[in-house]
Amino acid sequence: MNWKKLCCAATIASGVASAQIWEFGVVGGLGYAPNLSVRQASATASAGLGHGAAVGVYGGEDTYRHFGGEVRYLYSFGNLEASSNGASVRFGRRTHTIAGDILIYPRPTESRVRPFLALGGGVEILDGTGRESAAQPLGQFVALTHTRETLAVGDVGAGFKIALSEHLRLRIEAHDYAGPSPKKVIAPAPGASIGSFMNEIVGTISLAFAWSGRIEAR
């Protein structure tokens, strides 16, 4: 190997300006969380976040042809739910999710359609917003409470971006936010046990404004 040529090439490459694409978008979609299993002696029930609408914003950049990064905020709202043997109860809830992701693109920045994989994590703040009652149905399994709980979540997502024009992007994707199950907002009754792992799958459509700059490597 000619080390002089290799060092020369690296020096030239370090002086080349690299394109940097910035992006800011608004998000809308729907979320679904599989129910958790609740056990009390020999009886079982299910409880969880249920379905919910989601809105939010994100901002990020693609500094490299096949890699980028972003921060995303989602606000979702719906009902906590519990059910067993035909009995059920619902309780209002809202969720704030803040996550940072690394985006991996198989196609370079100049492609009109760019599939991507997102990997990252963040926090989810879950608020119970319903009215508590001592006579809440299924209280022998869980209590759906008017409290707040902050949970760490991992984030895995996939989707694609479509360049509608020089500055306008359409984006369709789905993310799975996974982490420990809530124990305050969905509080197991004494002697009851609840699944320890929860995931929420959110599918969204985004419309984004994109602009470019340049970074001069020195």
Side-chain angles (χ1 to χ4, degrees):
M1 179 180 291
N2 192 323
W3 291 104
K4 289 185 178 180
K5 289 183 178 180
L6 182 61
C7 291
C8 182
T11 302
I12 293 173
S14 67
V16 176
S18 61
Q20 183 180 39
I21 308 298
W22 295 87
E23 199 171 295
F24 178 82
V26 293
V27 181
L30 296 171
Y32 164 73
N35 281 334
L36 302 167
S37 177
V38 185
R39 294 184 178 275
Q40 175 68 279
S42 60
T44 61
S46 61
L49 301 186
H51 304 287
V55 294
V57 295
Y58 75 89
E61 62 173 323
D62 295 336
T63 305
Y64 305 101
R65 286 167 58 85
H66 295 282
F67 295 93
E70 69 180 28
V71 175
R72 169 180 296 251
Y73 166 75
L74 284 178
Y75 170 79
S76 64
F77 50 94
N79 289 304
L80 302 171
E81 299 177 350
S83 62
S84 178
N85 293 326
S88 64
V89 59
R90 290 186 174 185
F91 194 89
R93 61 92 176 168
R94 60 180 176 235
T95 306
H96 307 270
T97 304
I98 303 169
D101 289 335
I102 295 173
L103 303 184
I104 304 169
Y105 303 95
R107 294 182 181 178
T109 51
E110 60 268 22
S111 300
R112 180 174 179 271
V113 179
R114 300 184 75 199
F116 64 86
L117 176 67
L119 300 171
V123 296
E124 187 171 85
I125 303 169
L126 177 60
D127 288 321
T129 60
R131 179 175 295 180
E132 294 181 352
S133 170
Q136 187 180 99
L138 303 176
Q140 71 273 30
F141 292 102
V142 293
L144 307 181
T145 69
H146 191 110
T147 56
R148 167 172 288 190
E149 194 163 356
T150 301
L151 305 166
V153 292
D155 174 17
V156 177
F160 56 90
K161 299 180 181 181
I162 303 172
L164 301 178
S165 67
E166 181 181 359
H167 296 293
L168 196 61
R169 304 285 186 269
L170 177 68
R171 178 164 159 167
I172 300 172
E173 63 198 292
H175 287 250
D176 186 356
Y177 298 99
S181 61
K183 296 296 192 297
K184 296 178 182 178
V185 177
I186 304 176
S193 62
I194 190 169
S196 59
F197 184 82
M198 182 181 71
N199 63 311
E200 183 179 13
I201 301 165
V202 183
T204 61
I205 297 177
S206 307
L207 196 62
F209 178 75
W211 68 99
S212 62
R214 301 192 74 80
I215 299 176
E216 296 289 344
R218 295 177 181 270

